Amino acid sequence: MPAPPTRGTALRQLLAELRGADIAPRALDARALAALAANPGCRRRALLDGAGVDKARLADALGAPSGFGQSQFALTRGNAFEAKVKADGGAELLRLVHERMGGGPEPVPGEARTPDLTAVGPEGRTARTALALREATADAARSGAWTFLEHPMLALDVAGTPAFLEPDAVVVHPDGTWTVVEIKSFPMIDGGADAAKVGAAARQAAVYVLALERVAGHLDPAPEVRHRILLVCPKDFSNLPTASAVDVRKQLSVTRRQLERLTRIEDIADALPAGTCFDVTRPADELTEAVESVPAAYAPECLAACELAFHCRYRAREEGAVTSLGRGLRAELGALTTVDEVLSAAHGHSGDPRDPAVAALRRAARLRAEALGVRGEAAPACH
């Protein structure tokens, strides 16, 4: 009698059945994992990403093509800026790391270690990166040297499958600590940058920090992986680099919880109808039924982070879900989850008047009616 499948084997088989026969899984990267952390309540994204479904192709098959992604111009500009920051063996980058993070004497241009991370395949590059980090940490203890690792390769286990991650840079300080460096092409103006973009960069960097912690955990003693990452951006409206230290402990905690949730992805799959499959070659009506069988948690922020956002937005608006208006408003409305419920409560047709959300809605409706009345207009129904 053959041995029963292990839990990991059974999970991989389950995910393959959801993805479709003979369809290779789409590998998760740091952006995808960061997007999961940004919307931890979305079971739909958790399941599809855990199964390795190509959401862009799925969106096309559903008739709601994705508008998600960077323009070629933005990619070119970002690559040029990153090359400028890393020029001369990372001299300018190391200067910024020392200036904002400390961790040892000022780096001398040309004296920092820049190990070769070339290897065959992602597994080979991951092993080579781990070896380079081990050697750099030992070298820091002996001689107090700085080490600059350009595009190292890290790995995280996601639902039983390794996700290979490639941060812009990792720096080993002379004191033996490790810092993730994230390079972005959006500007820092007067020392500050767009909060939404900084938040997205912090979530992405937190994924790298988590992966680095796994590498550090195999060393004895384990070196410290700093929870403050260095975000490097153009200064004001120039192409000159500047930097800011960003604390990612909150994002790190959310990412850990979300990855733990992905390892229990079979719990989500168990609630699906028998035979559910997201194979993009299936008819559109079958795919729609399969996608709709998994609960989603749409919010406007999804438009910048998920390929299925247009499909989910259409469904949320069709159902009148208040989440389509933003998470902040959804939180303020408490138990009122649809636009119809909100309007009914505002006009006094339903809702508990002792509920703060209901009371605030009715007061707002009265003020609106009074304001329109002052102008001699009838107070139309809110829409």
Side-chain angles (χ1 to χ4, degrees):
M1 180 180 294
T6 64
R7 182 178 181 274
T9 302
L11 177 58
R12 285 192 291 272
Q13 182 177 344
L14 170 64
L15 298 181
E17 291 172 356
L18 290 172
R19 190 170 56 246
D22 303 322
I23 296 180
R26 182 176 177 83
L28 283 174
D29 59 14
R31 286 180 182 271
L33 291 174
L36 278 171
N39 191 4
C42 186
R43 293 189 175 191
R44 182 176 296 170
R45 172 146 199 171
L47 182 67
L48 293 174
D49 278 347
V53 175
D54 187 333
K55 296 194 300 300
R57 291 185 62 198
L58 181 59
D60 289 341
L62 292 172
S66 168
F68 173 66
Q70 282 187 300
S71 69
Q72 189 60 45
F73 172 76
L75 288 171
T76 302
R77 181 183 60 187
N79 290 338
F81 178 69
E82 181 177 335
K84 180 181 180 68
V85 172
K86 293 179 176 179
D88 301 322
E92 178 64 11
L93 184 147
L94 290 172
R95 183 190 70 79
L96 291 170
V97 171
H98 176 263
E99 179 182 288
R100 303 295 183 183
M101 314 284 284
E106 185 174 353
V108 178
E111 292 189 4
R113 297 178 71 253
T114 55
D116 181 10
L117 303 179
T118 304
V120 178
E123 293 87 354
R125 289 185 59 201
T126 299
R128 182 68 190 90
T129 294
L131 177 61
L133 286 167
R134 183 183 299 113
E135 293 173 344
T137 304
D139 197 48
R142 287 193 303 267
S143 60
W146 289 86
T147 300
F148 162 55
L149 284 77
E150 182 177 7
H151 284 297
M153 183 68 75
L154 308 171
L156 270 180
D157 183 79
V158 180
T161 302
F164 295 102
L165 314 170
E166 191 175 5
D168 293 327
V170 170
V171 170
V172 179
H173 299 245
D175 63 5
T177 57
W178 301 356
T179 292
V180 169
V181 178
E182 188 69 6
I183 302 172
K184 297 296 184 184
S185 59
F186 58 80
M188 281 189 188
I189 300 174
D190 294 331
D194 182 274
K197 293 180 179 178
V198 172
R203 288 190 294 272
Q204 185 175 339
V207 176
Y208 300 137
V209 172
L210 184 59
L212 269 182
E213 287 182 342
R214 305 287 171 87
V215 178
H218 289 92
L219 303 184
D220 187 20
E224 176 191 350
V225 181
R226 295 187 179 215
H227 294 160
R228 293 171 75 231
I229 64 100
L230 190 75
L231 176 63
V232 181
C233 298
K235 182 178 181 180
D236 298 327
F237 300 101
S238 71
N239 200 37
L240 299 175
T242 187
S244 176
V246 180
D247 193 323
V248 299
R249 282 177 293 183
K250 178 180 177 182
Q251 292 84 356
L252 191 59
S253 177
V254 173
T255 301
R256 282 199 186 98
R257 289 198 302 271
Q258 186 65 359
L259 289 181
E260 289 171 1
R261 186 168 179 266
L262 277 179
T263 62
R264 299 192 299 272
I265 205 167
E266 62 267 34
D267 296 336
I268 302 175
D270 285 344
L272 299 178
T276 298
C277 180
F278 304 103
D279 186 341
V280 295
T281 63
R282 290 194 167 196
D285 57 341
E286 290 184 19
L287 275 179
T288 300
E289 184 178 354
V291 169
E292 294 304 315
S293 68
V294 191
Y298 172 77
E301 295 87 345
C302 296
L303 293 171
C306 182
E307 295 88 341
L308 283 178
F310 288 148
H311 173 81
C312 295
R313 180 178 65 175
Y314 173 77
R315 291 299 186 189
R317 288 176 173 177
E318 189 176 51
E319 295 166 1
V322 295
T323 52
S324 64
L325 304 176
R327 292 196 186 101
L329 181 60
R330 171 68 189 90
E332 293 289 339
L333 292 172
L336 304 174
T337 60
T338 69
V339 174
D340 287 342
E341 289 176 348
V342 170
L343 294 177
S344 178
H347 295 151
H349 302 319
S350 64
D352 185 349
R354 294 170 296 181
D355 184 335
V358 173
L361 285 168
R362 291 181 181 177
R363 182 170 181 271
R366 285 196 303 270
L367 291 174
R368 180 177 185 275
E370 290 172 5
L372 292 175
V374 168
R375 297 201 302 266
E377 301 175 11
C382 299
H383 291 287

Coordinates of all heavy atoms in Angstrom, one line a residue, residues 38 103 190 245 326 352:
A38 N -1.1 44.3 2.5 CA -1.8 45.5 2.5 C -3.3 45.3 2.6 O -4.1 46.1 3.0 CB -1.5 46.3 1.2
G103 N 26.3 52.4 12.5 CA 26.7 51.0 12.5 C 28.1 50.8 12.2 O 28.5 49.7 11.8
D190 N 11.6 68.2 0.2 CA 11.8 68.8 1.6 C 11.8 67.7 2.7 O 11.3 67.9 3.7 CB 10.7 69.8 1.9 CG 10.8 71.1 1.0 OD1 11.9 71.4 0.6 OD2 9.7 71.7 0.8
A245 N 15.5 56.7 6.8 CA 15.3 55.5 7.5 C 13.8 55.3 7.9 O 13.2 56.2 8.4 CB 16.1 55.4 8.8
G326 N -14.1 53.1 0.2 CA -12.9 53.3 1.0 C -13.0 52.6 2.3 O -14.0 52.5 2.9
D352 N -30.7 51.5 14.5 CA -30.8 51.9 16.0 C -30.3 53.3 16.2 O -29.2 53.6 16.0 CB -30.0 50.9 16.8 CG -30.2 51.1 18.3 OD1 -30.8 52.1 18.7 OD2 -29.8 50.2 19.1

